[in-house]
Amino acid sequence: MINLMALTLNVLWYRDTMQLDTTERRIMESRGSRHTLVIRKVHRSDFGNYTCVADNQLGKTRKSVQLTGTPNPAKFNSASRGSWKDSYNISWAVESLSPIEEYKLLFRRLPDSTSEDGHPQPLHHQSQRKFVPGRENKTYVAVGYSGVYGYGRQFIDKRTDWRDVILPASPSQSPGVQSMSYVIRGLEPGQNYEAKVQARNKFGWSPVSEAFTFQTTDT
């Protein structure tokens, strides 16, 4: 029978591949089973991948965390249904310990997945929609099919392509949770749209946010 109380636990800290020692700004604390690495007055040179490696007579384990000064991913907080037919006021918040300098907003209209009677369209039907010359914002590419499939036209709706806009951040906001809103204009009534956003501070760009869907009104 193993006496668990007699097992010796060794804990080491690494940044990337370099083993860390205690310094004036870097303190390693141990209180019972809790082991903590404290970094004071964080500098850009402190950024990197930190790993805690713990082992005893029964084995070894490790956990890693990335230390970075870039903003966290943005979170949208606007309503999913807008108030206007051709525009939408989108808003979000970002947690950043350094002031946000600018945002990149991406949005697109979601492709139609239903027919005029409200039922989903099969894929072959979607690719053979009627060709109307001169229709705005659409591109039609002629595609030849061999054998019994005859001849068809591939339909590409340019309105569903991603569009983006760069937005300067408000200079009056302090570090912490920072908010932003923007009115997207030129939308279509009663349509579903998808949006994503990135935020940039002096350390770089945040990860792209999760997709957010919203809808314009049709009245």
Side-chain angles (χ1 to χ4, degrees):
M1 181 175 180
I2 299 175
N3 183 1
L4 297 179
M5 299 298 293
L7 295 177
T8 301
L9 180 66
N10 299 307
V11 175
L12 297 175
W13 292 91
Y14 295 83
R15 186 181 72 236
D16 298 326
T17 58
M18 182 182 70
Q19 183 178 334
L20 301 176
D21 296 318
T22 299
T23 65
E24 189 177 278
R25 292 195 307 108
R26 194 166 54 223
I27 301 170
M28 301 174 193
E29 299 177 342
S30 297
R31 296 180 181 177
S33 61
R34 185 180 181 86
H35 299 266
T36 307
L37 174 65
V38 179
I39 304 174
R40 295 175 173 172
K41 299 178 181 179
V42 176
H43 298 164
R44 187 188 292 264
S45 60
D46 294 316
F47 295 160
N49 186 69
Y50 286 80
T51 302
C52 178
V53 179
D55 70 271
N56 60 19
Q57 292 91 323
L58 298 180
K60 178 186 291 188
T61 187
R62 65 180 61 213
K63 289 291 183 180
S64 298
V65 64
Q66 187 75 22
L67 177 61
T68 175
T70 58
N72 286 338
K75 295 183 178 180
F76 291 94
N77 50 31
S78 46
S80 59
R81 185 173 176 85
S83 302
W84 304 294
K85 294 193 301 181
D86 57 358
S87 59
Y88 176 78
N89 188 6
I90 191 167
S91 59
W92 61 87
V94 178
E95 185 178 1
S96 174
L97 298 180
S98 179
I100 300 296
E101 297 179 358
E102 65 179 359
Y103 299 94
K104 182 177 184 180
L105 173 65
L106 303 100
F107 63 96
R108 65 168 181 165
R109 202 197 79 177
L110 289 174
D112 265 336
S113 59
T114 56
S115 62
E116 292 180 359
D117 60 3
H119 293 91
Q121 289 183 333
L123 291 178
H124 71 274
H125 181 220
Q126 292 179 6
S127 64
Q128 296 175 6
R129 295 176 66 176
K130 185 178 180 181
F131 173 63
V132 182
R135 191 80 172 268
E136 287 185 343
N137 298 323
K138 293 183 175 63
T139 300
Y140 296 86
V141 181
V143 180
Y145 299 94
S146 59
V148 297
Y149 294 102
Y151 185 89
R153 295 183 184 274
Q154 181 181 356
F155 174 84
I156 303 174
D157 191 343
K158 302 299 284 185
R159 296 172 301 177
T160 60
D161 288 349
W162 285 100
R163 289 176 280 173
D164 63 81
V165 58
I166 299 295
L167 305 170
S170 172
S172 61
Q173 296 203 38
S174 57
V177 178
Q178 303 170 53
S179 302
M180 183 68 183
S181 63
Y182 176 72
V183 177
I184 305 174
R185 304 184 188 279
L187 304 178
E188 297 180 48
Q191 295 295 327
N192 292 307
Y193 288 84
E194 180 180 25
K196 300 178 182 181
V197 72
Q198 278 184 286
R200 184 178 68 82
N201 63 16
K202 65 180 181 180
F203 298 113
W205 287 96
S206 72
V208 178
S209 70
E210 292 185 2
F212 171 72
T213 57
F214 63 91
Q215 184 181 40
T216 54
T217 65
D218 52 7
T219 59

